[in-house]
């Protein structure tokens, strides 16, 4: 089996596993169902991923590997002014959550309560810690020059996470409420994104 075929099979399995884990959680997920959805034998699945835990770890690693480069690019992009960089970070994160609407609930229910799974997240996020420290210094310097209001970067990060994740967590309920008034969840999410950006910008911009 050549390397390209191996990578293709691994990708098929990981995509099927992502759907299974997001829909059923770790305990409810079945490797037999993942193998069937990936169109591989159960034996082949275990050839690539020896245990369900290993497959679960790869899934978590994959999602974090999608998030970390976004943080690195936006917060570490010195070509953009500070305020514009933060505005783009809010927008990109909102879009990421919109494309992965089941991920926040999954992390809350299936990862955060378990220390060993939390450690997987911490390992990935730790690689971004220097960016938060660097951004805080940049904010402090800009505030001293009177260009922005002073703020704690980690608290701002928490605010952005909260504002962007809540619409996803409530999407099904909101969709049902909107079903009779002609609005769509897509329209509401677009409006929510704009509101989130404006809210954070009002907090940090010097008026």
């Amino acid at each position: 089996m050549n390397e390209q075929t191996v990578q293709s099979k691994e990708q098929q399995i990981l995509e099927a596993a992502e759907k299974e884990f997001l829909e059923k959680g770790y305990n409810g997920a079945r490797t037999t169902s993942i193998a069937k959805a990936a169109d591989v034998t159960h034996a082949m699945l275990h050839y690539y991923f020896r245990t369900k835990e290993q497959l679960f770890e790869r899934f978590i690693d994959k999602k974090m590997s999608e998030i970390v480069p976004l943080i690195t690019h936006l917060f570490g992009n010195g070509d953009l002014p500070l305020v514009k960089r933060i505005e783009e970070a809010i927008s990109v994160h909102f879009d990421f959550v919109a494309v992965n609407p089941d991920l926040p609930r999954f992390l809350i229910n299936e990862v955060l309560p378990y220390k060993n799974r939390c450690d997987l997240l911490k390992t990935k996020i730790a690689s971004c810690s220097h960016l938060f420290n660097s951004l805080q210094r940049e904010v402090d310097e800009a505030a001293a020059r009177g260009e922005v209001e002073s703020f704690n970067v980690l608290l701002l990060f928490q605010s952005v996470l909260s504002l962007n994740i809540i619409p996803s967590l409530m999407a099904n309920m909101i969709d049902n409420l909107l079903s009779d008034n002609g609005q769509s969840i897509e329209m509401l999410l677009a409006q929510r994104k704009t509101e989130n950006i404006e809210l954070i910008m009002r907090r940090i911009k010097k008026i």
Side-chain angles (χ1 to χ4, degrees), residues 67-77 127-128 130-131:
I67 296 171
V68 169
L70 296 179
I71 298 173
T72 302
H73 173 70
L74 290 167
F75 286 159
N77 185 3
S127 65
C128 298
H130 70 286
L131 293 177

Side-chain angles (χ1 to χ4, degrees), residues 15-35:
E15 288 175 0
E18 177 173 337
K19 188 172 186 295
E20 182 82 359
F21 285 131
L22 287 174
E23 288 183 355
K24 302 177 182 177
Y26 179 81
N27 290 332
R30 296 289 178 266
T31 54
T32 50
S33 299
I34 295 171

Side-chain angles (χ1 to χ4, degrees), residues 81-196:
L82 173 65
V83 172
K84 182 64 176 177
R85 209 181 316 151
I86 294 173
E87 183 177 342
E88 286 204 12
I90 300 166
S91 176
V92 169
H93 178 259
F94 191 98
D95 291 342
F96 178 83
V97 175
V99 172
N100 298 272
D102 296 320
L103 187 60
R105 183 180 292 104
F106 174 83
L107 293 175
I108 291 169
N109 293 334
E110 298 288 335
V111 177
L112 297 183
Y114 304 93
K115 184 181 182 305
N116 61 324
R117 298 175 190 173
C118 245
D119 288 342
L120 293 174
L121 296 185
K122 290 179 181 178
T123 300
K124 285 290 182 180
I125 294 173
S127 65
C128 298
S129 61
H130 70 286
L131 293 177
F132 288 103
N133 295 333
S134 176
L135 186 62
Q136 186 65 65
R137 288 193 296 271
E138 193 176 351
V139 167
D140 294 343
E141 291 169 359
R145 294 192 298 267
E147 297 171 0
V148 297
E149 295 289 349
S150 178
F151 60 90
N152 183 300
V153 168
L154 288 179
L155 291 180
L156 180 77
F157 185 69
Q158 291 176 27
S159 297
V160 172
L161 286 179
S162 301
L163 288 168
N164 285 351
I165 286 173
I166 288 298
S168 174
L169 294 176
M170 299 180 65
N172 288 336
M173 183 186 76
I174 293 172
D175 199 20
N176 289 331
L177 292 173
L178 294 176
S179 60
D180 296 326
N181 67 9
Q183 284 186 289
S184 68
I185 188 66
E186 290 78 16
M187 290 171 56
L188 189 67
L189 286 175
Q191 294 169 6
R192 182 71 264 167
K193 177 180 175 180
T194 300
E195 289 284 343
N196 288 357

